[in-house]
Amino acid sequence: MNNVDCPQCGAPADVALAQCKYCGEKFNFSNKQHVVQQPEPVYQQQPQPVYQTQPQQAFMYDGIDPSWPIKNKTVAGVLAIFLGGIGIHKFYLGQIGKGILYLIFFWTYIPAFIGFIEGVIYLLSNEHNFSVKHRVRPR
């Protein structure tokens, strides 16, 4: 007894029968066996990641833009300690809005206290961090 698969329903069918006993499909078998081939699955190739071999050119060197103004952190620190109450250090660093705010509230002595603390922070910070934080180039 030679068994093949029914071309209609895929059930095992006997070659000696004229039709499938499950779905009723009529067989047209000649002397050779009818073999139903399953289609081969098509696998798509996964896209491969593209790695750059050379790093891109950076516009800023070390985080410092060449278009920033040149300012000295020592000058900013001394101005903040001695004249911080009226906001001179903010005007020096180009922060005009904050400098005006210091001028408006100088009579409360709060800007003087904050200016003294900022002056100490300016003097104790390293050159690179000061430059990046305040967007100035070191001298």
Side-chain angles (χ1 to χ4, degrees):
M1 213 165 141
N2 292 331
N3 286 336
V4 293
D5 292 336
C6 173
Q8 178 68 25
C9 66
D14 189 5
V15 194
L17 298 176
Q19 66 183 17
C20 178
K21 62 182 176 180
Y22 297 103
C23 67
E25 176 75 16
K26 299 219 187 265
F27 297 136
N28 187 8
F29 295 125
S30 53
N31 287 338
K32 56 186 177 181
Q33 285 189 352
H34 179 70
V35 178
V36 177
Q37 294 181 350
Q38 296 289 333
E40 299 246 350
V42 178
Y43 297 106
Q44 293 182 351
Q45 185 178 5
Q46 294 291 332
Q48 298 295 324
V50 178
Y51 297 106
Q52 291 181 339
T53 56
Q54 296 176 350
Q56 295 223 348
Q57 296 280 334
F59 291 109
M60 289 191 225
Y61 176 72
D62 240 4
I64 299 174
D65 191 353
S67 66
W68 290 344
I70 297 174
K71 303 290 180 182
N72 191 346
K73 79 173 186 116
T74 307
V75 173
V78 171
L79 286 175
I81 289 173
F82 292 112
L83 299 172
I86 56 175
I88 297 298
H89 64 294
K90 294 296 183 180
F91 288 110
Y92 176 73
L93 292 174
Q95 300 172 349
I96 307 301
K98 289 183 181 179
I100 292 172
L101 192 66
Y102 275 58
L103 275 175
I104 292 173
F105 291 104
F106 81 95
W107 59 273
T108 63
Y109 296 107
I110 294 172
F113 179 70
I114 295 172
F116 180 79
I117 293 173
E118 285 179 333
V120 172
I121 291 172
Y122 292 168
L123 292 174
L124 294 178
S125 67
N126 67 18
E127 198 72 40
H128 183 267
N129 288 347
F130 176 81
S131 298
V132 171
K133 181 177 179 183
H134 298 286
R135 294 179 172 258
V136 295
R137 285 187 299 162
R139 220 175 249 201

